[in-house]
């Protein structure tokens, strides 16, 4: 009986302390989204202003962040199931407010939506030109309301830019819708594919720069306050300037 009680106690402790909300160390999901989030695969180093900003906020509150590199689609699932504490750069949507506590925004950014095709690919001059195309997109990404809700478009959803770049080169899709143009271009360069072009049609897309925490996370109010103070006193602006970047107010 004593042995059974000991096992039960051990199992209970494992449950109680399995989430980082009960300790000073928080779990953060990171992904390669240059220039704000950069993953150096050769040296396994993570860098970028979004990392610096939230780490400084965490330090003010007596926390550290343990980062892990996770695809964004899995990060959304982690937020739903409280398996992570912080995810940088989560686009704010009504649907996601059902399971995400948003921190910020720390500023506004202009992330125009582009469409990329092969050099001799279809011409995309306006939204209607998308109707006949097979469009590659990243699973779980919010682009813009009209596109996201358009059930008549032919969409192929994949996990990441790695797959999108190779599918475009192989001609398996006609175009790629792109929120993070530098990330896709980096993948196209990695496979030495130069025969691509940006479509004339561009969707203007100013978005708030948010962090995501699981809904009702106990640390969310304190982090929001810390980020508000850092934005007001210029700390966030200075961190972005260090990387040669800027945020719109």
């Amino acid at each position: 009986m004593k042995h059974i009680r000991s096992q039960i106690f051990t199992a209970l402790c494992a449950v109680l302390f399995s989430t980082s909300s009960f300790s000073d160390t928080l779990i953060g999901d990171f992904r390669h989204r240059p220039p704000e989030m950069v993953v150096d695969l050769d040296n396994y180093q993570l860098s970028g202003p979004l990392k610096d900003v939230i780490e400084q906020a965490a330090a003010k509150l007596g926390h550290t962040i343990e980062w892990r590199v996770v695809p964004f689609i899995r990060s959304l699932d982690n937020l739903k199931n409280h398996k992570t504490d912080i995810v940088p750069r989560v686009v704010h949507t009504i649907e996601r407010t059902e399971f995400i506590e948003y921190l910020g925004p720390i500023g506004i950014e202009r992330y125009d939506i582009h469409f990329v095709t092969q050099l001799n690919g279809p011409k995309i001059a306006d939204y209607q030109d998308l109707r006949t195309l097979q469009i590659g997109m990243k699973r779980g990404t919010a682009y813009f309301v009209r596109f996201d809700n358009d059930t008549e478009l032919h969409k192929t959803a994949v996990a990441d830019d790695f797959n999108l770049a190779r599918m475009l080169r192989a001609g398996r899709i006609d175009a790629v819708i792109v929120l993070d143009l530098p990330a896709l271009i980096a993948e196209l360069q990695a496979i030495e594919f130069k025969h691509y072009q940006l479509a004339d049609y561009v969707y203007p897309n100013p978005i708030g720069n948010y962090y995501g925490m699981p809904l009702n996370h106990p640390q969310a109010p304190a982090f929001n306050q810390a980020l508000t103070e850092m934005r007001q006193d210029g700390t966030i602006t200075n961190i972005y300037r260090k990387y040669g970047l800027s945020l719109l107010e």
Side-chain angles (χ1 to χ4, degrees), residues 13-29 58 61-68 78-79 81-87 212-214 216-220 223:
C13 286
V15 171
L16 290 175
F17 294 100
S18 61
T19 63
S20 56
S21 302
F22 291 88
S23 72
D24 292 335
T25 300
L26 303 178
I27 301 298
D29 286 5
L61 301 172
H63 298 289
T64 59
I65 300 176
E66 179 181 314
W67 295 103
R68 57 192 180 184
N78 288 341
L79 287 167
N81 296 294
H82 293 246
K83 292 181 179 179
T84 190
D85 294 298
I86 296 170
V87 180
M213 276 184 151
N216 298 321
H217 193 290
Q219 300 300 330
F223 266 90

Side-chain angles (χ1 to χ4, degrees), residues 239-246:
I239 289 174
Y240 266 75
R241 282 176 179 167
K242 185 178 72 172
Y243 289 90
L245 302 171
S246 61

Side-chain angles (χ1 to χ4, degrees), residues 19 29 68 70-87 90 93-102 139-141 212-217:
T19 63
D29 286 5
R68 57 192 180 184
V70 179
F72 183 64
I73 188 67
R74 196 195 307 167
S75 290
L76 288 178
D77 186 64
N78 288 341
L79 287 167
K80 286 181 182 178
N81 296 294
H82 293 246
K83 292 181 179 179
T84 190
D85 294 298
I86 296 170
V87 180
V90 180
T93 69
I94 297 299
E95 294 77 14
R96 291 175 181 174
T97 57
E98 295 180 0
F99 60 92
I100 293 178
E101 197 84 42
Y102 283 95
R139 188 179 297 111
T141 295
M213 276 184 151
L215 193 65
N216 298 321
H217 193 290

